[in-house]
């Protein structure tokens, strides 16, 4: 009797490898959360997808650069939004050390850079060139920045190197770091009333493009090495004398151990791919509709079952 059971179990197992894979660990899959809305909502959406497959999930708020070290060490299992412009350097550094890998790109094109709402161009018609912006620096003067223009950069952990760029290109701007993404939207919103010229850090895909028509400032085109080799870019003696990539990637990354520990979840992660409009909508649910991230994620999943169900089998 015992022997028969074993034989049945063995034959059942032999029939399985190409259908259901090995069972995922019951340990929670730890997903890192950062400080911009699409990443937070996407992380909850993917967490809810994993839960629908029977996995346990935990969220932890982490620094958006240090997270690559956390993924590499297996302290968190994955990262869902590796933006080339902001995180390419930290991601590549962690890849070289080993312990994490590239799980493929979302079907999205990203850009992160200096940006202005369209009314700014009425006051400075030579835009979007950075030289024209610089010639209009007076328009952006504030009490805080004296005789220089004010550029509101992202929170420091996004490492946009705005100050280095201003120095490298000899611009008449002072770089101020926003305390949060919300401070960027508040700056644009406040300027909108009297159509005051402003230039702030922004990115796409994001909800903002549906609210405020605008453009990115065109800096010297990004070339590989601009952040590593001073001779690359127009200033032979400086790093960061280029814009960010204008057609950047958006990648997924995972801890090397994820595949063995949670093979079903890993196989879903491989298939996950969000588009620009889907990512912008996730941000909109929070930044315009004022939903909580968990709620926004649930709403997105409820509206898009045919998209994500296909990733789970
Ligand atoms: C990393 N971010 C999308 C905020 O530029």
């Amino acid at each position: 009797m015992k022997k028969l059971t074993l034989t049945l179990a063995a034959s059942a197992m032999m029939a399985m490898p190409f259908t259901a894979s090995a069972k995922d660990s019951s340990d929670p899959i730890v997903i890192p959360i950062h400080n911009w809305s699409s990443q937070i909502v996407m992380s909850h959406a993917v967490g809810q997808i994993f839960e629908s497959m029977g996995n346990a999930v935990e969220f932890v708020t982490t620094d958006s650069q240090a997270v690559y070290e956390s993924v590499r060490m297996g302290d968190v299992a994955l990262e869902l939004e590796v933006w080339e412009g902001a995180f390419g350097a930290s991601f590549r550094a962690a890849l070289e050390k080993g312990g994490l890998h590239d799980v493929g790109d979302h079907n999205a094109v990203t850009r992160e850079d200096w940006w202005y709402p369209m009314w700014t161009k009425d006051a400075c018609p030579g835009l979007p060139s950075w030289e024209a912006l610089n010639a209009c620096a007076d328009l952006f003067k504030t009490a805080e920045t004296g005789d220089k223009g004010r550029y509101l950069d992202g929170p420091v952990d996004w490492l946009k190197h705005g100050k280095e760029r201003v120095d490298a290109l000899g611009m008449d701007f002072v770089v101020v770091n926003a305390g949060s993404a919300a401070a960027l939207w508040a700056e644009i919103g406040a300027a909108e009333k009297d159509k005051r010229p402003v230039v702030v850090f922004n990115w796409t895909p994001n909800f903002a493009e549906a609210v405020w028509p605008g453009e990115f400032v065109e800096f010297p085109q990004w070339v590989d090495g601009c952040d590593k080799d001073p001779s690359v870019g127009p200033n032979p003696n400086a790093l960061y004398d280029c814009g960010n990539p204008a057609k950047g990637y958006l990648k997924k990354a995972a801890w090397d151990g994820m595949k063995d520990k949670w093979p079903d979840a890993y196989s879903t992660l491989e298939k996950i791919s969000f588009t620009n409009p889907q990512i912008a909508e996730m941000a909109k649910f929070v930044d315009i509709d004022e939903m909580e991230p968990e709620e926004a994620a649930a709403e997105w999943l409820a509206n898009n079952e045919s998209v994500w169900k296909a990733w789970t089998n």
Side-chain angles (χ1 to χ4, degrees), residues 166-190:
V166 160
D167 290 345
L169 296 175
M171 296 177 73
D172 298 319
F173 275 82
V174 171
V175 177
V176 178
N177 283 105
S180 64
L184 299 170
W185 319 138
E187 177 97 346
I188 305 168

Side-chain angles (χ1 to χ4, degrees), residues 4 21-22 72 106 130 156 175 178 259:
L4 180 62
S21 54
R72 206 171 73 70
H106 292 280
W130 73 270
V156 279
V175 177
K259 190 182 184 131

Side-chain angles (χ1 to χ4, degrees), residues 86-98:
F87 312 117
S90 294
F91 174 61
R92 283 191 299 272
L95 266 182
E96 276 167 30
K97 291 193 202 164

Side-chain angles (χ1 to χ4, degrees), residues 36 81 83 86-87 112 158 160 201-203:
W36 65 97
E81 286 196 7
W83 290 67
F87 312 117
E112 307 157 78
W158 299 348
K160 299 318 303 178
F201 179 71
N202 196 355
W203 59 91

Side-chain angles (χ1 to χ4, degrees), residues 38-123:
S38 69
Q39 197 274 347
I40 302 172
V41 176
M42 186 189 295
S43 296
H44 279 284
V46 170
Q48 290 173 21
I49 292 172
F50 289 163
E51 283 171 347
S52 81
M53 298 163 58
N55 287 105
V57 172
E58 242 173 59
F59 298 96
V60 52
T61 299
T62 78
D63 178 278
S64 62
Q65 305 287 346
V67 72
Y68 295 96
E69 199 59 18
S70 311
V71 178
R72 206 171 73 70
M73 307 306 287
D75 294 339
V76 302
L78 53 82
E79 168 59 52
L80 288 162
E81 286 196 7
V82 186
W83 290 67
E84 181 172 6
F87 312 117
S90 294
F91 174 61
R92 283 191 299 272
L95 266 182
E96 276 167 30
K97 291 193 202 164
L100 101 174
H101 61 277
D102 183 340
V103 193
D105 292 14
H106 292 280
N107 180 22
V109 178
T110 66
R111 186 166 184 182
E112 307 157 78
D113 226 320
W114 297 41
W115 176 98
Y116 53 85
M118 226 39 152
W119 63 78
T120 298
K121 198 175 185 171
D122 298 336

